[in-house]
Amino acid sequence: LIIYSAHNSEHPLNAAEITNSTNLTLDGGPITVYDGGVYAGEALMETLKASDKRLISYAVDLGTRITTAVDSKSDTVVEVHVSRGILSAKMSRIETTTYNARNVDAKAKTLIIEEQVRPQYTVVSPKPIETTANAWRFQLDLAAKSPAKLPVVLERVYDQTFSLSSVTPDTMVYWTQNKALSDAARRQLEHLRDLKNQLAGVNTEMASNDSD
């Protein structure tokens, strides 16, 4: 395996998955790794309980290069509720991190990408192969001497509340253009927008009469 978790580096690390298949606890400590009888690197492993498993990294893989690109979409309204002059909106923020990997070696590899777990975010796609206390793990198969990429899409859903008196018609127009909004919510916002426009017209007329 190769594993990529340090996003400030262009190279992943050679790694191996170790499973303790005994009924005993394996004490932690330094490990020397050999690949085909040849020294490959060293690692430091934590104590491993019976039937538990760990990913250990032991050397930099200079034959694989990785770059990332992050794209965040504007917050969108996915649901609205109105009660007693208060508008409650459920908002969604989508963030996509695209991992671009190039394998320059003449052998296929299995890349494990670790994306740090972020509070309030959930994974939209792809499904992680494993979730730890601190990371989501995704798998990307790399063919020999070939590029590959993996977009990881996260979503954060949160609530916002507004006083109807402070929401402008232009804001409501922007929200109604959101394709993620349900038809019922869009009709509700369009109705509120029309009422706000009517109120603005009445206020303008009253101001004009007062000036006369």
Side-chain angles (χ1 to χ4, degrees):
L1 302 174
I2 53 176
I3 187 168
Y4 184 73
S5 57
H7 294 178
N8 57 347
S9 171
E10 69 171 334
H11 297 292
L13 298 175
N14 286 318
E17 184 179 80
I18 294 180
T19 300
N20 183 2
S21 58
T22 73
N23 295 322
L24 304 174
T25 296
L26 178 63
D27 288 338
I31 296 177
T32 300
V33 180
Y34 292 87
D35 186 0
V38 179
Y39 174 81
E42 295 185 355
L44 188 64
M45 194 177 71
E46 301 174 352
T47 298
L48 197 60
K49 295 289 187 179
S51 302
D52 201 359
K53 65 180 180 179
R54 290 284 189 278
L55 276 177
I56 61 165
S57 54
Y58 54 87
V60 176
D61 176 20
L62 298 177
T64 305
R65 297 183 180 89
I66 298 177
T67 59
T68 59
V70 179
D71 176 42
S72 295
K73 292 185 178 180
S74 301
D75 293 1
T76 57
V77 182
V78 295
E79 186 177 316
V80 293
H81 299 277
V82 177
S83 177
R84 301 182 181 276
I86 300 297
L87 186 147
S88 301
K90 188 175 291 294
M91 314 289 290
S92 170
R93 171 179 286 270
I94 298 293
E95 183 174 301
T96 303
T97 301
T98 301
Y99 294 87
N100 298 286
R102 176 172 290 276
N103 178 15
V104 300
D105 289 334
K107 63 178 181 179
K109 302 175 184 178
T110 298
L111 172 63
I112 303 298
I113 295 173
E114 285 192 336
E115 177 82 25
Q116 184 177 1
V117 170
R118 298 166 60 182
Q120 301 180 339
Y121 278 82
T122 58
V123 179
V124 177
S125 67
K127 184 179 179 180
I129 61 169
E130 187 177 16
T131 300
T132 69
N134 301 313
W136 295 297
R137 286 176 177 163
F138 306 93
Q139 180 173 318
L140 179 61
D141 295 326
L142 304 179
K145 295 186 176 181
S146 299
K149 67 178 180 179
L150 179 71
V152 175
V153 183
L154 305 180
E155 180 184 31
R156 176 183 173 226
V157 177
Y158 61 98
D159 296 322
Q160 281 192 332
T161 58
F162 306 87
S163 170
L164 282 178
S165 60
S166 64
V167 180
T168 66
D170 289 341
T171 299
M172 290 189 176
V173 169
Y174 171 76
W175 284 357
T176 56
Q177 292 173 346
N178 174 22
K179 295 181 180 180
L181 199 63
S182 67
D183 291 339
R186 182 175 291 104
R187 287 193 296 270
Q188 188 177 30
L189 283 178
E190 289 173 344
H191 179 62
L192 290 173
R193 178 201 61 197
D194 294 341
L195 292 177
K196 293 283 288 187
N197 286 331
Q198 293 176 23
L199 180 60
V202 170
N203 289 335
T204 299
E205 186 177 350
M206 290 176 61
S208 176
N209 292 335
D210 289 342
S211 62
D212 293 339

